[in-house]
Amino acid sequence: MGNIGEKNTLSIIVPVYNVERFLKRGIDSLIHFETNDFEIILVDDGSEDNSGLICDEYANDYKNIHAIHQKNRGVSSARNIGLKNAKGKYIAFFDPDDYISETFYSRMLQEMQLKNLDIIFSGYVLENNEGEAIPVNEEKIKHISDCKEPKCLFVEADLSSMSMGVVWRSLFRKDIILKNHIFFDEELTLNEDQIFLLEYIKHCTYIEFLEGNNYHYCLNTGSATGKLYKENLLQERLKYVQKMEKVLEDSSKMIDKKNEMIINRIKYKTAKEIVSNELKYNRGEKNFEELKKYIGTYFLTKNAIKQSISDHSGLKTKIILLLAKFNCYNALYFLYGIKAGVEEE
């Protein structure tokens, strides 16, 4: 049995909810981590399957594994509970339906300690339901330590469909988290990782990317996060964009042109996501009317459309540009399957 040592090096926080199919595989991969100087905190967030019992089994068998049970309050709450109980100098967040190789944390810990880093990002491998590995190209992210504005690279990478805005691929320093009162926003059920990371990275000086594919991020479409249609996506995205604006504003004390550009890109991408979610999976008239009411006002603003036009080229973009030139915004929205006006500048 392992037991966290006097140095209290690492706390691995695992939010658990209805993942009995994958949980043992995930925990077993953590147990084979190369050093005993770590603890695993399993936070059962009101699971309705046998996940809670599995957590208790491991906690009984291993002194450095702790099981905490709470009523279902969401992944942010579970991670926050883990943070409040963590004893380690460094913090890791692990998703229970994934798994790691035994060198994943040891390599990152070595880099963190040798270079006195504030945060480190690791490469990863993406696996589909058949266990097939999908290559992930992260050439741009490799230069994050050279970036004068890591928050910009950080957000722009997410907008390019790269998994930057997640916490499972990083190690954090607990003193930075506690000193600056950085916790997960429990009002959000989507993109809470990104808000946490942006808040954290504001206080970082030394950042590094470590190549490798020792973290296996698994696409489990049968899990809650794999559900095709996302209810209340519009309301969730409204909260998310508002919080992103605040985080970016707080990080630079003002909304500069770079922040505005990032926000407009987020709004444009978010609008496409919301409309696609409704039109592909739920064509209810009530939801459609709500889209018409909010999309133009909050997401597909003139500035957001202009930003998209400047970012892309091609025939479709030329058509959008022509429509925008003549203020044909209703036609623009029709391209997305909705008819709505935009806010006046």
Side-chain angles (χ1 to χ4, degrees):
M1 294 184 184
N3 193 11
I4 191 164
E6 293 180 359
K7 293 185 294 183
N8 292 345
T9 305
L10 177 66
S11 295
I12 304 171
I13 297 170
V14 187
V16 176
Y17 179 71
N18 291 354
V19 285
E20 63 176 340
R21 286 175 54 200
F22 313 103
L23 186 55
K24 288 186 177 181
R25 180 189 66 180
I27 299 176
D28 285 343
S29 74
L30 297 179
I31 292 172
H32 293 106
F33 175 33
E34 290 177 323
T35 177
N36 284 333
D37 194 31
F38 73 104
E39 66 175 351
I40 300 171
I41 303 175
L42 304 171
V43 184
D44 171 33
D45 187 40
S47 295
E48 298 170 344
D49 60 5
N50 291 318
S51 296
L53 294 176
I54 295 172
C55 291
D56 288 336
E57 288 175 8
Y58 278 92
N60 290 331
D61 291 341
Y62 295 88
K63 292 181 179 179
N64 64 330
I65 297 181
H66 316 292
I68 299 174
H69 301 273
Q70 67 173 22
K71 293 181 179 179
N72 180 242
R73 295 173 56 191
V75 64
S76 292
S77 172
R79 286 173 174 159
N80 288 339
I81 290 294
L83 278 173
K84 293 172 183 176
N85 286 273
K87 300 181 180 68
K89 178 179 180 181
Y90 300 101
I91 301 292
F93 299 99
F94 177 80
D95 282 359
D97 48 355
D98 299 334
Y99 67 97
I100 61 168
S101 69
E102 64 184 25
T103 60
F104 177 68
Y105 287 125
S106 58
R107 288 184 66 212
M108 289 207 292
L109 268 176
Q110 185 178 32
E111 289 292 307
M112 287 281 283
Q113 293 171 328
L114 285 176
K115 299 180 180 180
N116 196 29
L117 300 176
D118 298 318
I119 186 172
I120 187 168
F121 295 90
S122 172
Y124 67 102
V125 62
L126 189 67
E127 289 190 9
N128 60 22
N129 281 336
E130 287 72 41
E132 178 186 5
I134 303 171
V136 179
N137 183 7
E138 297 193 294
E139 189 64 37
K140 190 174 182 181
I141 304 304
K142 295 175 184 177
H143 304 292
I144 187 170
S145 58
D146 304 323
C147 184
K148 293 181 180 179
E149 292 186 274
K151 67 173 184 183
C152 298
L153 177 60
F154 174 92
V155 178
E156 288 168 354
D158 252 21
L159 295 175
S160 302
S161 300
M162 301 167 73
S163 294
M164 193 67 180
V166 292
V167 294
W168 42 258
R169 62 183 298 175
S170 296
L171 287 190
F172 304 84
R173 281 175 41 189
K174 190 174 72 172
D175 60 340
I176 291 179
I177 293 173
L178 297 182
K179 179 181 178 181
N180 298 286
H181 308 287
I182 305 169
F183 291 95
F184 290 89
D185 193 324
E186 297 185 19
E187 291 184 2
L188 293 177
T189 59
L190 295 167
N191 288 98
E192 65 282 342
D193 287 33
Q194 189 180 68
I195 300 295
F196 179 92
L197 275 167
L198 278 175
E199 289 281 8
Y200 183 91
I201 211 169
K202 290 191 302 186
H203 307 284
C204 295
T205 303
Y206 302 106
I207 302 170
E208 187 161 307
F209 173 83
L210 184 65
E211 291 190 64
N213 56 0
N214 291 325
Y215 191 101
H216 296 255
Y217 175 68
C218 303
L219 297 174
N220 301 311
T221 55
S223 67
T225 55
K227 185 179 178 182
L228 292 177
Y229 177 67
K230 295 179 174 61
E231 297 179 7
N232 302 317
L233 184 62
L234 175 61
Q235 293 78 9
E236 288 296 323
R237 287 311 192 204
L238 281 171
K239 290 189 290 185
Y240 160 65
V241 171
Q242 291 166 356
K243 290 178 184 296
M244 279 293 293
E245 288 179 311
K246 185 177 187 306
V247 169
L248 290 172
E249 181 179 5
D250 290 346
S251 67
S252 61
K253 306 305 180 185
M254 61 179 291
I255 288 290
D256 54 26
K257 290 185 178 180
K258 186 69 173 178
N259 284 348
E260 185 178 3
M261 180 175 67
I262 292 172
I263 286 295
N264 284 328
R265 286 173 176 166
I266 291 173
K267 287 180 176 179
Y268 184 80
K269 182 181 179 182
T270 302
K272 293 201 297 182
E273 177 191 9
I274 294 169
V275 174
S276 175
N277 181 63
E278 292 296 337
L279 295 184
K280 284 185 179 180
Y281 307 118
N282 182 41
R283 289 177 173 268
E285 191 64 29
K286 180 179 179 181
N287 298 59
F288 194 69
E289 289 299 319
E290 193 172 19
L291 288 184
K292 291 196 291 184
K293 180 179 179 181
Y294 287 105
I295 289 290
T297 303
Y298 291 101
F299 298 109
L300 284 182
T301 63
K302 288 183 179 180
N303 286 337
I305 292 174
K306 289 176 181 178
Q307 184 64 56
S308 176
I309 291 169
S310 68
D311 287 344
H312 301 90
S313 61
L315 179 60
K316 183 176 180 180
T317 303
K318 289 179 180 178
I319 294 173
I320 293 175
L321 178 61
L322 182 64
L323 292 170
K325 181 177 180 180
F326 291 100
N327 295 322
C328 299
Y329 290 104
N330 283 338
L332 284 172
Y333 290 116
F334 184 75
L335 293 178
Y336 292 96
I338 57 177
K339 299 176 183 178
V342 296
E343 65 178 7
E344 294 297 325
E345 290 186 321

